Amino acid sequence: MPRNSLQKPGRQLMATHNIKLGIIMDPIESINIKKDSSFAMLLAAQRKNWQIFYIKQSEIFQQDKHVFANSQALQVKDHQQNWFTTDQTQVINLADLDVILMRKDPPFDMEYIYTTYLLEHVEKSGTLVINKPASLRDANEKLFATQFPQCCTSTLVTRHPGKLRDFINEHKDVILKPLDGMGGESIFRVTPKDPNLSVIIETMTRHNSKTIMAQKYIPEITDGDKRILLINGEAVPYSLARIPAEGETRGNLAAGGQGVGMPLTDREKWICQQVGPRLKEMGLIFVGIDVIGDYLTEINVTSPTCIRELDSQFNLDIGMQLMDCIESLRS
């Protein structure tokens, strides 16, 4: 097919493959394959002999009633220096794909939202989009957790400095976080006597114009901020406890935390039972929830990580579990 053609490619081009899978992700040449969950998914899809199309978010476009992408057929291998090869760029109609994995990392900005609108259009053609585009928009990773108050610690969502101060005075030790951050970015631990409290609140709320979240500090963070993965509402039976580096309050691996795998506790299993059915109902097929101590703190729906770490520590194949789930959803 010509490089710039908008002709809808015929399905006969890929008839020898059971499933045609597209993945929208950040530049594959920049990933760390030892930690990248999207890479684990790609390895599993390739082992199933599925045809894989690599797509950058910026290369998706709509013309008339069809959504297309400048895409490349992709092959991967678990090799630290040479982990992928791509074929020549071609224009594909995304409706000709059986499955699309939306694995673009935040920021969750307007460009991300526009992409979900385009993917929702593709979804109507019968393509399975993971995770469901409308649910990606609805499930803010910080706010969504508050829909399960029985699982959460004391929480306040506001842009009002007075309410934030009252909350901090009541609970004494509090975490402040933006609603659109990732990787532990811009998270502050504060107390009523913090000499920088006023400037922290002013900066985070942008002088009362931006809503943020305050949560009562959970001292069990020293034992790890646990990431639990769920596939179609069912929990992987192990968590990755991301233990903060010395002097840190954030367990995020991106902030220097150490990942230690461990079996789920009874409380964690209960939290998964509370959350799992809702995730399945919303078409949130691959999700990572964060638990500190006895409390649910976040529900990550955009591009959850920790597959590779859990696979290596417990001899799992979570990527293949996900592909098997996709196969069952397509049947």
Side-chain angles (χ1 to χ4, degrees), residues 151 218-226 228 265 267-268 271 290-297:
C151 302
I218 306 169
E220 289 84 358
I221 183 62
T222 55
D223 299 323
D225 179 354
K226 295 182 180 179
I228 303 169
T265 66
R267 171 70 178 185
E268 289 158 2
I271 291 173
D290 293 342
V291 175
I292 301 175
D294 287 337
Y295 301 104
L296 173 69
T297 59

Side-chain angles (χ1 to χ4, degrees), residues 215-242:
Q215 288 180 321
K216 181 181 178 181
Y217 175 72
I218 306 169
E220 289 84 358
I221 183 62
T222 55
D223 299 323
D225 179 354
K226 295 182 180 179
R227 166 61 53 83
I228 303 169
L229 299 176
L230 294 95
I231 299 174
N232 205 21
E234 297 293 327
V236 173
Y238 301 93
S239 70
L240 190 75
R242 297 160 299 171

Side-chain angles (χ1 to χ4, degrees), residues 186-223:
S186 301
I187 290 178
F188 289 88
R189 179 183 177 186
V190 297
T191 63
K193 294 184 178 180
D194 192 317
N196 295 309
L197 182 57
S198 292
V199 71
I200 290 171
I201 292 175
E202 289 170 5
T203 301
M204 292 194 69
T205 65
R206 295 181 185 170
H207 295 276
N208 314 349
S209 67
K210 184 177 181 180
T211 301
I212 66 170
M213 175 177 282
Q215 288 180 321
K216 181 181 178 181
Y217 175 72
I218 306 169
E220 289 84 358
I221 183 62
T222 55
D223 299 323

Side-chain angles (χ1 to χ4, degrees), residues 63-203:
Q63 183 161 330
D64 299 325
K65 64 180 181 179
H66 295 297
V67 178
F68 301 90
N70 296 312
S71 175
Q72 297 166 294
L74 174 70
Q75 301 82 40
V76 291
K77 59 181 176 180
D78 203 354
H79 188 282
Q80 197 63 42
Q81 277 74 46
N82 183 25
W83 59 87
F84 75 98
T85 56
T86 54
D87 293 346
Q88 183 178 2
T89 299
Q90 60 176 311
V91 176
I92 63 170
N93 187 323
L94 296 188
D96 280 344
L97 298 176
D98 297 297
V99 181
I100 296 174
L101 298 176
M102 177 51 171
R103 292 286 301 174
K104 174 71 177 66
D105 283 343
F108 192 89
D109 53 14
M110 287 307 300
E111 284 300 313
Y112 195 106
I113 290 172
Y114 297 149
T115 300
T116 66
Y117 288 135
L118 296 177
L119 291 177
E120 199 167 18
H121 190 80
V122 176
E123 188 180 44
K124 292 175 182 176
S125 72
T127 299
L128 175 64
V129 182
I130 297 174
N131 285 317
K132 188 175 180 64
S135 295
L136 286 175
R137 294 195 302 272
D138 289 346
N140 175 275
E141 300 190 331
K142 307 296 191 296
L143 285 173
F144 188 30
T146 65
Q147 294 191 21
F148 307 92
Q150 71 275 25
C151 302
C152 298
T153 187
S154 296
T155 301
L156 172 70
V157 179
T158 185
R159 66 168 86 173
H160 194 282
K163 294 186 185 301
L164 287 165
R165 284 186 175 277
D166 289 345
F167 187 85
I168 294 164
N169 287 331
E170 177 185 357
H171 294 290
K172 310 303 181 188
D173 200 348
V174 169
I175 295 293
L176 301 180
K177 61 175 74 171
L179 297 179
D180 57 357
M182 65 169 289
E185 182 181 73
S186 301
I187 290 178
F188 289 88
R189 179 183 177 186
V190 297
T191 63
K193 294 184 178 180
D194 192 317
N196 295 309
L197 182 57
S198 292
V199 71
I200 290 171
I201 292 175
E202 289 170 5
T203 301

Side-chain angles (χ1 to χ4, degrees), residues 10-20 49 51 98:
R11 290 185 179 271
Q12 69 274 12
L13 295 177
M14 298 167 274
T16 58
H17 297 268
N18 293 326
I19 287 181
K20 299 173 286 295
N49 198 35
Q51 188 163 7
D98 297 297

